Amino acid sequence: MVENDEELREYFPEQFPVLEGEPEAGQWYRLPVPGAISADGLPYWGFLRKGTEPGLIVYFSGGGVSLNAYMAARPNKLNETSETFYFDGKALPYIDAFATRGIFDPTQDNPFRNWSCILVSYTTGDFHVGNGDYPYTAIDGSPAVLHHHGYRNYRGLMDKAQEFISSPTKLLITGGSAGAFGASALAADVMDYFPECRDVTCCPDSSLMLYNDWQAVAQHVWQANERIWNPLHSPNICLDWLRALYTEKGDSVRYLYICSIRDSALATYQHFIDHGTMELTREQSLQFEKDLRDMTDVMKAEIPGIGIFLLDTPETGLDSELLGTQHTFLHTPEFFQPVKDGVSLREWLWNALNGTVSSIEL
């Protein structure tokens, strides 16, 4: 476990400066949020890049989830091999590392390179929607509290970022992993910040987790507001939130969805929900693929015009017999790589944002 700033610099020597004064175009900054805290009580901050074009990306970052006291007692730790479930405040310094890759890449072949970006950090275990404190017992037996402040932190960050970002003409609301769930849940909320923008896209990247008690978790564990928990009626939380978004916003939003067909990370969490252990099996990978196909069939039936991009990229370093595929793509080098018929995720997404929505399903 990395414990101090000197060790952190060995892992991530390039860290963004804290924003003081006006931001310089093209430069990433850490944006502190007064009073905001992470799951473990450490200070919270997000990230801001002011662009030179009138497009804006609001990106919700990922980092696991906590549904109960057992999971709350097991936050992720660097180089930890035991069972862990979610990022807390100790993970914040690492988020700098991926904010220059994939959709954030500043190179000339990235059409998003000059867009403004608000990167919503995630260290609260609540899919960015929490509003309360959750008491639990730590592994050593001591009393502890998980601060499910994801929604508070997001709102505080957006309030600060609005001081520097003007209303966009194009708005992309997206995120990866836990952040993909957050993007689905909070897209309408983000739109409230930019009521003049009429070109809005919601694009979750890697979000499928089935659980029968999502509404109870959102209401009583995360203490989310009613706008968040009320639509949760099925085992598929992302699908329910997209349904709610479509019910509220209809065709005023462009809907996209990205996932790999046997997502190894999501399948591992699903194995914990279904069987009680955090592990990936071949059977769980195949079940995930079936569940994903079922989900995309429903999305196509209930959300007219949705664009879907499914990938079959093997997970690096994973036993091929397990059939697991890569988890998240928008902030990875695979964003640029052609997948099917020479089309890359970058090209598919850019075309969709400019009115040509398509689906690529393997």
Side-chain angles (χ1 to χ4, degrees):
M1 174 65 184
V2 172
E3 296 287 357
N4 56 55
D5 288 342
E6 183 176 346
E7 289 178 312
L8 281 172
R9 283 192 290 271
E10 292 180 8
Y11 279 86
F12 302 105
E14 299 295 331
Q15 294 186 8
F16 301 135
V18 175
L19 179 59
E20 298 177 351
E22 287 294 317
E24 177 184 339
Q27 169 67 53
W28 278 102
Y29 296 92
R30 294 183 178 184
L31 191 59
V33 180
I37 57 174
S38 299
D40 51 357
L42 290 175
Y44 170 90
W45 64 82
F47 297 87
L48 175 72
R49 185 185 76 189
K50 186 173 183 178
T52 57
E53 297 179 5
L56 171 63
I57 300 168
V58 177
Y59 185 95
F60 292 88
S61 62
V65 69
S66 178
L67 310 182
N68 51 42
Y70 182 89
M71 299 172 82
R74 291 161 175 82
N76 288 327
K77 298 179 181 179
L78 192 66
N79 296 329
E80 179 66 66
T81 57
S82 62
E83 197 172 51
T84 62
F85 295 97
Y86 66 96
F87 288 171
D88 59 17
K90 301 178 191 67
L92 263 179
Y94 314 146
I95 296 176
D96 300 45
F98 76 76
T100 55
R101 300 184 300 184
I103 197 171
F104 308 118
D105 196 308
T107 55
Q108 287 294 317
D109 58 347
N110 181 14
F112 298 96
R113 66 188 180 280
N114 294 321
W115 282 35
S116 296
C117 300
I118 301 170
L119 197 161
V120 186
S121 305
Y122 178 61
T123 56
T124 51
D126 55 12
F127 288 164
H128 294 275
V129 303
N131 258 325
D133 297 323
Y134 181 71
Y136 67 94
T137 301
I139 293 177
D140 64 6
S142 63
V145 174
L146 196 167
H147 302 288
H148 284 306
H149 287 200
Y151 184 74
R152 299 183 191 183
N153 293 350
Y154 143 76
R155 292 286 297 192
L157 177 64
M158 293 295 292
D159 290 344
K160 290 290 295 182
Q162 269 204 309
E163 299 175 17
F164 310 103
I165 301 292
S166 57
S167 183
T169 58
K170 282 184 178 291
L171 173 61
L172 171 60
I173 304 162
T174 186
S177 191
F181 294 95
S184 305
L186 298 174
D189 201 287
V190 173
M191 292 173 69
D192 291 344
Y193 277 96
F194 308 103
E196 297 177 0
C197 184
R198 296 291 183 266
D199 191 339
V200 180
T201 301
C202 177
C203 180
D205 171 13
S206 307
S207 53
L208 168 57
M209 199 177 298
L210 305 178
Y211 185 56
N212 288 325
D213 295 314
W214 282 123
Q215 188 178 88
V217 169
Q219 186 175 5
H220 301 299
V221 177
W222 302 336
Q223 299 177 49
N225 62 48
E226 187 173 359
R227 188 184 190 185
I228 297 299
W229 61 256
N230 190 53
L232 303 178
H233 301 293
S234 83
N236 192 325
I237 190 171
C238 181
L239 182 58
D240 279 349
W241 276 332
L242 288 175
R243 285 169 167 150
L245 179 63
Y246 184 73
T247 298
E248 180 177 348
K249 298 296 185 180
D251 294 336
S252 65
V253 173
R254 186 180 295 112
Y255 302 87
L256 305 174
Y257 179 81
I258 303 164
C259 200
S260 69
I261 60 173
R262 294 179 299 276
D263 186 305
S264 61
L266 293 176
T268 298
Y269 273 83
Q270 192 64 55
H271 194 276
F272 176 79
I273 290 172
D274 294 344
H275 305 289
T277 57
M278 283 284 280
E279 62 178 305
L280 181 65
T281 66
R282 183 185 181 92
E283 292 74 21
Q284 194 72 61
S285 295
L286 292 170
Q287 182 62 48
F288 183 91
E289 182 172 8
K290 179 183 182 303
D291 294 338
L292 179 63
R293 302 289 186 184
D294 291 344
M295 178 184 181
T296 56
D297 285 345
V298 174
M299 287 194 294
K300 287 182 289 186
E302 297 188 9
I303 305 175
I306 190 170
I308 296 170
F309 198 114
L310 302 184
L311 300 100
D312 189 11
T313 306
E315 180 66 78
T316 303
L318 190 68
D319 183 349
S320 61
E321 289 297 312
L322 297 177
L323 301 179
T325 52
Q326 181 173 320
H327 179 56
T328 72
F329 294 88
L330 286 178
H331 69 272
T332 73
E334 284 75 21
F335 180 65
F336 296 94
Q337 295 177 3
V339 175
K340 184 178 181 182
D341 299 328
V343 178
S344 66
L345 184 56
R346 171 196 59 186
E347 182 180 358
W348 172 83
L349 180 59
W350 184 250
N351 288 343
L353 265 63
N354 286 282
T356 305
V357 177
S358 64
S359 290
I360 296 179
E361 303 179 62
L362 304 175

